[in-house]
Amino acid sequence: QVQLVESGGGLVQPGGSLRLSCAVSGFPFNSYAMRWYRQAPGSQRELVSFITSGGSATYADSVQGRFTSSRDNAKNTVYLQMNSLKPEDTAVYYCNTNQGSKIYWGKGTLVTVSS
């Protein structure tokens, strides 16, 4: 059974940092790309980051230079380091992967950026 479990969200002040984690089980993690999405209240879910199985990452323009995605294939975990956080980064953050047409999501972790 494929499981993706996000953690690390919370309340942080503008300019602060958080590191999100997504622990994966049930499939050969090191063979698959992973994605981070976010969904703000009243908005559509948007892609934040894509990281290949080899660890190369790309980012949405809105987070480029502030967020960094990485993965530890030995721990079956993908991370999202978020720095210089802004109120507009407030959202539920989800990790995601697909195996062909099968798409898997975690339940998400809430990040709130507020003073």
Side-chain angles (χ1 to χ4, degrees), residues 6 39 49 83 91 107:
E6 302 93 338
Q39 187 166 19
S49 175
N83 299 329
K107 293 184 178 181

Side-chain angles (χ1 to χ4, degrees), residues 9-13 18 110-115:
L11 174 64
V12 63
Q13 292 187 342
L18 282 175
L110 176 63
V111 172
T112 303
V113 185
S114 176
S115 54

